């Protein structure tokens, strides 16, 4: 997949207004896990398209304008409940979410434009998708041919949007089994399994198997860093210490995923532990820069946001 041209990456999932509340007051940001990843990929130099649901309202206009600013194309599905909103209540930088009706009933329309955006992409990234909706999952898989060679999935479950935990888990594992790479976090493992992260990693095929058909598993554990499990390879990277305090951890996981996806798009899937270590180390540096700013916009810690391939 390595190429001198910009990789075409379609990101499927959520776009919303993030309202941050803390003792200092309330602020609003354009956000959503999938949107964060799409914008992050654009900042890293990729040709990014976001496939998401938005309403016909002022918040949707803000989302369109924000994506235009970063050169991300939006393929929008209509929403009968307006644009999604998440209220993030912060305690020591960690968010707790409350979601409006639109976010709780998110749904994508797989029309010609959506299917074309998926068909034309070198990689398809799915994040914060309604995996507890069987029809939405079936439509997604039907629209992505050759998924095991170009699909990357991050379940990103949120308790405020979760209607059926068992169904979400079953469908997430079904999609993960057909993917190139799957990302899971320690909070995902707790919410979906009530179990430690390493147990979830093992369920997804990252427990040391050398099976060439299984996905790579990117496991994130907050302050304990991240690890990568792929065909018997296991590498770990600690969080990176940078100058300045940690301000907001909201975008850490999305920045980590965007950095790893960017590296796969540029160089192909790493073939050995050394290459995976480099990719994971770069992702940890980007995540560390991101959390030192409010909001979830990916940061690289350098003067220019572009780091290229």
């Amino acid at each position: 997949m390595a190429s001198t041209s910009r990789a075409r990456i379609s990101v499927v999932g959520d776009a919303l207004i993030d309202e941050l509340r803390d003792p200092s007051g309330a602020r609003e940001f354009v956000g959503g896990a999938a949107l964060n990843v799409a914008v992050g990929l654009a900042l890293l130099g990729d040709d990014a398209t976001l496939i998401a649901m938005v309403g016909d309202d002022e918040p949707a206009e803000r989302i369109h304008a924000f994506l235009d600013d970063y050169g991300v194309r939006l393929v929008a599905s209509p929403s009968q409940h307006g644009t999604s909103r998440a209220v993030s209540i912060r305690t020591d930088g960690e968010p707790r979410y409350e979601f409006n009706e639109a976010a709780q009933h998110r749904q994508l329309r797989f029309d010609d434009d959506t299917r074309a955006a998926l068909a034309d992409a070198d990689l398809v990234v799915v994040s914060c998708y309604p995996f507890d909706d069987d029809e939405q999952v079936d439509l997604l898989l039907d629209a992505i041919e050759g998924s095991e060679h170009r699909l990357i999935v991050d379940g990103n479950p949120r308790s405020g949007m979760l209607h059926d935990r068992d169904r979400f888990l079953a469908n997430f594992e079904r999609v993960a089994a057909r993917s190139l790479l799957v990302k899971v976090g320690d909070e995902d493992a707790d919410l979906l399994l009530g179990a430690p992260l390493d147990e979830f990693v093992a369920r997804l095929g990252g427990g040391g198997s050398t099976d060439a058909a299984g996905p790579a598993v990117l496991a994130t554990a907050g302050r304990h860093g991240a690890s990568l499990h792929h065909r018997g390879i296991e590498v770990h990277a600690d969080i990176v210490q940078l100058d300045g305090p940690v301000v907001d951890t909201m975008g850490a996981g999305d920045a980590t995923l965007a950095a790893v996806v960017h590296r796969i798009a540029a160089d192909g899937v790493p073939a050995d532990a050394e290459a995976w270590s480099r990719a994971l180390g770069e992702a940890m540096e980007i995540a560390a820069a991101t959390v030192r700013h409010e909001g979830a916009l990916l940061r690289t810690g350098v003067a220019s946001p572009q780091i290229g391939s």
Side-chain angles (χ1 to χ4, degrees), residues 91-95 185-187 197 219-227 236-241 246 248-249 252-253 256 284 287-288 291-292:
T91 304
D92 297 328
E94 295 291 340
D186 50 356
E187 294 180 353
L197 178 57
T220 58
R223 67 190 62 188
H224 300 294
S227 59
H236 176 81
D238 292 325
I239 60 171
V240 175
Q241 300 298 327
V246 172
D248 189 349
T249 62
T256 299
M284 290 292 95
V291 301
R292 281 164 171 79

Side-chain angles (χ1 to χ4, degrees), residues 271-289:
D272 54 39
E274 182 180 357
W276 273 120
S277 292
R278 287 196 302 270
L280 200 55
E282 179 181 70
M284 290 292 95
E285 290 178 2
I286 290 172

